[in-house]
């Protein structure tokens, strides 16, 4: 509830401190005393549009501070936590407006955006006035109001989950369709490239081996000549092998006479002859291996050219051609298997959409039942409010297939007709000022048990009525005050007599000196009696008016 309101230098209010309590609180006073200023100031603290003209003449800035005492589980605390603000204890909203047009907002002394202030204000206070187009008069919120009345919040939550699932499935299907379309557009190209690479059959490391082989064959003729000379030196007449053999035979003939002194030399020559024979064999093997073959050189060069041409064409290294072929084969396989995936995703999307639609239709039927009940409840309240010729109807328009949303397939709006036979239309367009306030009151009474903001403000809801109708208005405001704090700006003594807390707004000071100021006074029992007598009698309060005030107050203990 709104526990306190502090106003500094706003229009005619220089300094005002107001403490409020639970129940029905009424604000009364002469016309022009400043009741609307008080509501405008509160609106500023709740995030309403700022205006430099609100700053009191002669002041550089004005400010409004509203203190709220709310339950631990109130949605406003969740909103605070989501924005990293202190969420325990009293909630303090403050707005500062400067004469140069700048405006600043604070929550619990922390600077915040005007948007967040407005969100908090909407959760804390509902303002219902003749010219207020928010709350019950805003058609965009009628569906949520109907859902709250019908206790359909759980069904709406389920609809949102199903809508999210259907949307996700639809998006997955669309993404796969787009991918498949792109892949199919490249399928012929992929098939051609894979065929080329399969025919080429590239192998990692092949380029290096071919390049080395080609280099070797290009030099093989020169290498072969040198190898032939080396073989001649090793095994030809007068070659190393022949000389070593001669030396070994001669040493062997005289070895016995040398008494073992030649054994080392003989062994060394024997080893040398063996190594020379091995060298001769290796040279012969190399000569056969390096035999110049023009066809083999051409084949190596052709293969190397083909590999490098393919690498340039696909902008990859030669060693990565085999990997590229595997990758492209995988893309082709995805295309071939894509149709199966597409069918699966399409089935999932269809099933998710059907599940959403089925639940949305169940929710729509439940809303229709709740709408009929709400219409009945509101119509029951219209007669005592002198609106017995009026009609109230909750209109539901079911959206066409595919045009639903997270909250279902229904468009909901509250329509009225003030005279028999007249067409139904939106509340804000059909009802006059006084009628509009009473329609809103009838709606709030019908919806009261379903919860609302902790503070309800009614601006002249009793406008244009008196007697029994004013009494009926007061009775319904008192009923609402049992479930929420209700603040009423009223000219009706019947309404004021039912209040638990009564405040009188007055204007005083020296007009010529520009010191006129709006004041708010909390009335005790005698002062309250005098104020209600004034409301009954007018300018001159008589004993008869005081007696009538006593009767009104006494009839509403």
């Amino acid at each position: 509830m709104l526990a306190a309101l502090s106003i500094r230098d706003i229009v005619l209010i220089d300094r005002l401190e107001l403490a409020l309590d639970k129940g029905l609180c009424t604000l009364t006073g002469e016309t022009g005393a400043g009741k609307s200023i008080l509501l405008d100031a509160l609106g500023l603290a709740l995030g309403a549009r700022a205006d430099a003209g609100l700053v009191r003449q002669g002041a550089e800035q004005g400010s409004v501070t509203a203190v709220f005492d709310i339950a631990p589980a109130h949605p406003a605390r969740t909103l605070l936590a989501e924005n990293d603000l202190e969420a325990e204890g009293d909630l303090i909203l403050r707005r500062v407006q400067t004469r140069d047009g700048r405006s600043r907002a604070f929550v619990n002394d922390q600077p915040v955006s005007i948007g967040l202030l407005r969100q908090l204000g909407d959760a804390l206070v509902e303002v219902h006035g003749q010219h207020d187009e928010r709350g019950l008069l805003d058609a965009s919120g009628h569906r949520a109001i109907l859902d709250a009345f019908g206790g359909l919040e759980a069904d709406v939550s389920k609809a949102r989950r199903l809508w999210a699932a259907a949307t996700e499935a639809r998006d997955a299907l669309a993404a796969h369709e787009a991918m498949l379309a792109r892949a199919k557009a490249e399928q012929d190209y992929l098939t051609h490239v894979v065929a080329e690479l399969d025919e080429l059959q590239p192998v990692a490391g092949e380029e290096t081996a071919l390049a080395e082989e080609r280099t070797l064959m290009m030099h093989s003729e020169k290498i072969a000549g040198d190898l032939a000379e080396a073989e001649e030196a090793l095994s030809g007449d007068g070659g190393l092998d022949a000389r070593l053999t001669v030396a070994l035979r001669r040493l062997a003939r005289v070895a016995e006479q040398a008494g073992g002194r030649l054994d080392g030399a003989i062994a060394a020559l024997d080893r040398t002859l063996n190594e020379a024979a091995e060298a001769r064999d290796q040279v012969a093997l190399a000569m056969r291996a390096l035999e110049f073959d023009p066809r083999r050189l051409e084949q190596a060069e052709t293969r190397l050219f083909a590999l490098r041409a393919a690498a340039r064409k696909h902008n990859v290294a030669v060693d990565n051609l085999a990997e590229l072929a595997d990758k492209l084969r995988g893309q082709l396989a995805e295309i071939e298997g894509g149709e199966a995936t597409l069918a699966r995703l399409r089935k999932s999307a269809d099933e998710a959409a059907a599940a959403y639609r089925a639940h949305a239709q169940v929710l729509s039927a439940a809303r229709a039942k709740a709408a009929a009940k709400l219409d009945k409840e509101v119509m029951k309240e219209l007669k005592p409010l002198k609106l017995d010729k009026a009609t109230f109807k909750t209109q539901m328009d079911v959206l066409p297939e595919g045009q639903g949303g997270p909250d279902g397939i229904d468009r909901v709006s509250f329509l009225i007709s003030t005279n028999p036979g007249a067409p139904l239309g939106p509340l804000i367009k059909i009802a006059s000022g006084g009628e509009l306030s009473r329609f809103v009151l009838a709606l709030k009474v019908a919806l009261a048990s379903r919860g609302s903001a902790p503070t309800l403000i009614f601006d002249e809801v009793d406008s244009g009525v008196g007697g029994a109708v004013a009494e009926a208005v007061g009775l319904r405001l008192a009923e609402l005050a049992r479930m929420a704090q209700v603040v009423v700006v009223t000219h009706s003594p019947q309404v004021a007599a039912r209040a638990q807390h009564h405040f009188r707004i007055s204007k005083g000071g020296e007009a010529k000196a520009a010191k006129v100021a709006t004041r708010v006074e909390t009335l005790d029992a005698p002062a309250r009696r005098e104020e209600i007598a004034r409301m009954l009698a007018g300018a001159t309060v008589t004993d008869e008016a005081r007696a009538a005030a006593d009767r009104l107050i006494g009839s509403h203990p």
Side-chain angles (χ1 to χ4, degrees):
M1 70 168 189
L2 176 62
L5 183 64
S6 175
I7 304 174
R8 299 286 186 275
D9 295 320
I10 296 294
V11 193
L12 294 179
I13 300 175
D14 54 356
R15 179 180 294 269
L16 185 148
E17 302 288 342
L18 185 62
L20 296 98
D21 209 333
K22 299 176 182 178
L24 179 59
C25 306
T26 56
L27 303 174
T28 63
E30 298 284 357
T31 300
K35 297 185 291 295
S36 62
I37 296 173
L38 198 66
L39 295 185
D40 288 344
L42 175 60
L44 199 63
L46 299 176
R49 180 176 296 178
D51 184 350
L54 292 173
V55 180
R56 180 177 169 82
Q57 185 177 0
E60 290 303 313
Q61 68 176 33
S63 67
V64 184
T65 303
V67 181
F68 291 89
D69 179 5
I70 57 175
H74 191 277
R77 295 202 187 277
T78 303
L79 194 56
L80 290 173
E82 289 174 351
N83 287 274
D84 297 324
L85 294 169
E86 176 62 43
E88 296 182 359
D90 289 342
L91 176 56
I92 304 173
L93 309 186
R94 182 162 66 94
R95 185 83 170 273
V96 177
Q97 176 64 53
T98 61
R99 182 164 293 283
D100 62 7
R102 290 178 296 127
S103 181
R104 291 172 294 159
F106 302 86
V107 173
N108 292 345
D109 287 331
Q110 296 296 311
V112 299
S113 68
I114 302 300
L116 176 58
L117 191 71
R118 186 179 301 114
Q119 284 182 277
L120 288 167
D122 289 343
L124 294 167
V125 178
E126 288 182 17
V127 180
H128 302 292
Q130 296 182 35
H131 308 293
D132 188 81
E133 297 184 6
R134 297 173 298 168
L136 294 175
L137 304 185
D138 184 358
S140 66
H142 289 177
R143 181 172 56 197
I145 292 172
L146 178 62
D147 290 339
F149 175 79
L152 302 175
E153 291 90 344
D155 291 320
V156 174
S157 294
K158 182 177 179 180
R160 289 172 181 167
R161 291 194 300 272
L162 291 172
W163 170 263
T167 300
E168 182 179 352
R170 185 174 63 247
D171 290 347
L173 174 62
H176 187 75
E177 286 176 333
M179 182 279 293
L180 201 57
R182 291 192 300 270
K184 285 185 175 180
E186 300 175 356
Q187 186 173 17
D188 290 344
Y189 169 75
L190 293 175
T191 302
H192 173 71
V193 172
V194 169
E196 281 187 340
L197 293 175
D198 284 346
E199 183 178 357
L200 188 61
Q201 293 185 339
V203 177
E206 186 179 9
E207 180 188 24
T208 300
L210 284 171
E212 291 176 351
E213 182 182 3
R214 183 186 65 168
T215 301
L216 190 59
M217 284 192 292
M218 289 175 64
H219 295 88
S220 62
E221 189 171 2
K222 178 180 181 301
I223 294 172
D226 292 337
L227 288 176
E229 291 178 3
E231 184 181 35
E232 179 64 25
L234 288 171
S235 59
D237 292 341
L240 176 62
D241 188 52
R243 293 197 298 273
L244 289 173
T245 300
V246 170
L248 180 59
R249 282 202 301 269
R250 289 183 178 179
L251 289 175
R253 283 202 300 267
V254 295
E256 185 175 349
Q257 289 83 1
R261 291 180 177 83
L262 298 177
D263 291 350
I266 293 171
L269 284 171
D270 187 57
R271 290 196 302 272
T272 301
L273 281 169
N274 289 334
E275 292 293 335
E278 176 66 21
R280 186 172 61 251
D281 292 342
Q282 291 297 326
V283 169
L285 182 63
M287 288 181 65
R288 290 194 296 274
L290 292 173
E291 184 179 0
F292 179 70
D293 185 350
R295 290 180 300 171
R296 176 57 188 156
L297 176 61
E298 183 180 2
Q299 290 172 353
E301 289 183 331
T302 300
R303 175 69 174 172
L304 194 57
F305 176 81
L307 288 170
R308 289 175 173 173
R312 286 193 301 272
K313 179 179 179 180
H314 300 295
N315 196 29
V316 296
V318 172
D319 282 349
N320 293 334
L321 284 172
E323 182 182 347
L324 174 65
D326 291 338
K327 178 181 177 181
L328 296 182
R329 273 192 292 270
Q331 290 182 8
L332 282 173
E334 283 184 4
I335 296 173
E336 294 169 359
E339 291 297 337
T341 302
L342 182 65
R344 178 177 57 80
L345 290 175
R346 184 173 289 120
K347 181 181 179 183
S348 296
D350 290 344
E351 289 175 349
Y356 163 77
R357 188 74 187 182
H359 179 71
Q361 289 170 348
V362 171
L363 176 58
S364 182
R367 280 175 173 154
K369 290 182 180 179
K373 184 177 179 181
L374 177 61
D375 293 349
K376 184 177 179 181
E377 292 291 325
V378 174
M379 290 296 293
K380 184 172 67 176
E381 293 295 329
L382 294 181
K383 186 174 181 179
L385 292 173
K386 205 177 178 180
L387 292 169
D388 49 305
K389 294 181 180 179
T391 300
F392 174 88
K393 181 175 178 57
T394 303
Q395 178 170 298
M396 286 183 51
D397 297 314
V398 179
L399 300 172
E401 183 81 25
Q403 292 188 21
D407 293 322
I409 56 175
D410 307 300
R411 184 183 292 116
V412 177
S413 55
F414 298 149
L415 305 179
I416 64 167
S417 169
T418 53
N419 295 295
L424 292 163
L427 278 167
I428 193 67
K429 293 183 178 180
I430 300 297
S432 64
E435 290 173 334
L436 186 59
S437 297
R438 281 178 281 151
F439 267 112
V440 169
L441 178 58
L443 263 170
K444 285 308 301 180
V445 171
L447 296 167
S449 63
R450 304 300 178 180
S452 62
T455 298
L456 307 176
I457 296 178
F458 290 88
D459 184 11
E460 299 189 11
V461 67
D462 50 8
S463 176
V465 300
V469 177
E471 177 69 17
V473 170
L475 174 62
R476 278 144 185 81
L477 289 170
E479 289 178 0
L480 283 177
R482 287 200 292 268
M483 290 167 275
Q485 181 189 48
V486 177
V487 179
V488 184
V489 175
T490 181
H491 290 287
S492 169
Q494 290 90 342
V495 173
R498 287 187 174 272
Q500 283 85 46
H501 314 284
H502 193 153
F503 304 91
R504 180 173 57 208
I505 301 175
S506 60
K507 186 167 61 176
E510 301 176 15
K512 293 183 179 179
K515 293 182 179 179
V516 175
T518 293
R519 299 282 182 262
V520 178
E521 178 186 1
T522 303
L523 301 182
D524 57 16
R528 184 183 178 210
R529 173 193 183 227
E530 196 69 12
E531 174 66 5
I532 292 175
R534 181 198 63 77
M535 297 171 72
L536 285 165
T540 302
V541 178
T542 64
D543 289 339
E544 288 81 1
R546 292 186 180 94
D550 286 336
R551 287 193 296 273
L552 276 178
I553 296 171
S555 64
H556 309 305

